[in-house]
Amino acid sequence: MNSSTDILIIGGGIIGFSLAVELKLRGASVTILAGELQQPAARAAAGMLAPQAERIPPSPMLDLCLQSRALYPAWVEQLEDITGLQTGYWRSGILAPVCQDQDYEKPESSNLNAQWLDGDAIRQHQIGLGEKIIGGWWYPEDSQVDNCALFRTLQTASKKLGIEVIPDSAVEIIRQGNRVLGVKTTAGKLQADRYVLATGAWSKQLLDIPVFPRKGQMLSVCVPEDCAVTQPLQMVLFGTGIYIVPRQDGRIIIGATSENVGFTAGNTPAGMQSLLAGAMKLYPELQNYPLLEFWWGFRPATPDEFPILGASAWENLILGTGHYRNGILLAPVTAKLLADLILERKLDPLLAAFDYSRFAESLGVENGE
Ligand code: GLY
């Protein structure tokens, strides 16, 4: 194969598909080199849109996350209109319970909507919380999307819009001087005017940038059939090292471990035990809920835990990777800002904080030295 397109997106995860759809809707010719779609980071997620519950301190990162959270309603509506599918976007709010043995410092972003609920108030807010919970922070503007449904919706939107999705994997980005000349794939060579690297945790296999995998194990249960309601949990519960994300159809997603074990695959007894123990402490009723699934994924982490967005050392290669814990949340803003950059050469000032050059010292020869 030796084909040509205007923009070639290397990477078939949530970021690659989100950007492809945005570019196509703005009239560009775009192709996705999707790879084998093996356990993308979208799987190591429960779809929380949680800049506040994640306690991201006031910073360009918080601004980026808040912008993206604000884009979500219109973004998913557009995708649902294109496809006729549902993304499971739900303004459920996120409750961060605090247990006896924890502190409950006020969130740093005091101008954002966050309410402290004491022991009585939190139990009125959500029935069935664990007895060790003494109160908690309520973030009404944090929300959630069904990350797997969102991914399917993006794939379907790409198909409906006529975006070519190539299932092969990138093997090498062919570079000469300050330009990318093509991408060697498992099935031949691809060429484009411009390229986007969106290969998440696998980015370092193609380019010397500091992105490494951080494994997340997850599991799901479902509300028993004899329960009086489809879903007794009406908000996300966000604890320390544990979160519980209810879906409106009765499933409940429990996540996630955070492990520096490279690309070691599989669920482990220790991982499952820590998730189940943490979840039952927050919401004891779960102990009787039928188990549905176990899975894992690899978050694309960077040394400062911020994404790498924008220009690279090669004038026709754009970077969109390293979203770590916030890839689902940041998908719409990443698509918007990178499409502005690629198609209009518009550089949003916010992108400066996410430039690859902040890692220049560790980039060595890949930085053009
Ligand atoms: N966004 C939550 C996680 O990465 O576990």
Side-chain angles (χ1 to χ4, degrees):
M1 176 180 39
N2 194 337
S3 68
S4 201
T5 180
D6 285 354
I7 303 162
L8 178 65
I9 297 178
I10 310 163
I14 197 96
I15 299 297
F17 273 94
S18 301
L19 178 58
V21 167
E22 182 71 24
L23 290 167
K24 186 73 181 182
L25 287 170
R26 296 195 200 182
S29 152
V30 55
T31 299
I32 303 174
L33 182 56
E36 289 105 26
L37 296 175
Q38 85 279 56
Q39 303 288 6
R43 293 265 295 154
M48 290 181 299
L49 308 175
Q52 292 183 260
E54 290 270 0
R55 288 191 171 241
I56 297 170
S59 60
M61 179 63 173
L62 180 62
D63 296 343
L64 191 75
C65 289
L66 291 173
Q67 252 193 51
S68 209
R69 190 182 68 180
L71 288 173
Y72 244 92
W75 186 62
V76 292
E77 193 183 328
Q78 183 182 44
L79 291 171
E80 290 176 354
D81 283 350
I82 293 169
T83 59
L85 300 176
Q86 295 297 310
T87 60
Y89 176 69
W90 181 12
R91 288 169 136 139
S92 59
I94 298 188
L95 183 64
V98 173
C99 292
Q100 275 156 1
D101 47 354
Q102 293 168 338
D103 63 35
Y104 51 102
E105 277 169 36
K106 207 172 160 25
E108 273 187 80
S109 317
S110 54
N111 59 339
L112 296 175
N113 189 358
Q115 295 151 26
W116 172 255
L117 304 177
D118 65 19
D120 289 338
I122 199 168
R123 285 179 173 77
Q124 278 170 25
H125 212 69
Q126 174 61 58
I127 296 167
L129 296 176
E131 60 184 26
K132 292 204 163 57
I133 291 169
I134 55 162
W137 289 101
W138 169 235
Y139 303 108
E141 286 164 46
D142 277 354
S143 48
Q144 61 155 300
V145 67
D146 180 335
N147 45 300
C148 294
L150 173 65
F151 192 53
R152 283 193 297 273
T153 306
L154 283 164
Q155 288 177 303
T156 304
S158 299
K159 205 170 178 180
K160 291 216 169 202
L161 293 170
I163 295 168
E164 189 184 1
V165 180
I166 299 175
D168 309 316
S169 292
V171 175
E172 184 192 343
I173 298 177
I174 306 160
R175 291 157 278 172
Q176 192 174 70
N178 63 354
R179 288 189 66 78
V180 169
L181 300 183
V183 178
K184 197 194 277 183
T185 79
T186 41
K189 187 176 159 189
L190 291 172
Q191 286 186 298
D193 294 336
R194 280 164 293 178
Y195 302 82
V196 180
L197 183 77
T199 40
W202 291 267
S203 297
K204 207 170 165 49
Q205 293 174 1
L206 294 171
L207 207 64
D208 189 13
I209 50 173
V211 181
F212 48 90
R214 179 79 55 81
K215 182 175 168 181
Q217 299 188 48
M218 310 197 64
L219 64 97
S220 60
V221 298
C222 66
V223 176
E225 276 176 15
D226 59 3
C227 187
V229 291
T230 313
Q231 184 50 271
L233 253 184
Q234 285 298 307
M235 62 205 68
V236 174
L237 301 181
F238 192 102
T240 305
I242 186 82
Y243 47 77
I244 304 175
V245 183
R247 303 285 196 227
Q248 281 165 314
D249 63 6
R251 285 173 301 140
I252 296 177
I253 316 298
I254 298 171
T257 63
S258 187
E259 302 166 65
N260 273 319
V261 293
F263 287 107
T264 306
N267 287 105
T268 61
M272 294 297 97
Q273 185 187 40
S274 74
L275 294 179
L276 288 167
M280 288 188 292
K281 194 170 157 194
L282 286 185
Y283 192 65
E285 290 190 27
L286 286 176
Q287 65 194 293
N288 298 316
Y289 285 13
L291 285 163
L292 284 180
E293 274 187 285
F294 307 97
W295 68 96
W296 73 94
F298 299 108
R299 306 175 185 88
T302 63
D304 58 11
E305 300 183 353
F306 290 178
I308 301 176
L309 303 175
S312 73
W314 295 273
E315 62 183 25
N316 58 343
L317 175 67
I318 296 290
L319 305 173
T321 186
H323 291 73
Y324 187 41
R325 293 180 65 89
N326 295 295
I328 306 295
L329 169 61
L330 291 175
V333 80
T334 300
K336 177 181 181 300
L337 297 186
L338 293 189
D340 288 349
L341 183 64
I342 293 165
L343 299 180
E344 297 170 36
R345 298 191 187 280
K346 198 169 119 196
L347 182 65
D348 191 293
L350 200 47
L351 283 177
F354 306 103
D355 197 87
Y356 79 101
S357 60
R358 69 188 191 274
F359 300 121
E361 267 180 32
S362 61
L363 292 176
V365 290
E366 289 285 11
N367 195 26
E369 289 167 11

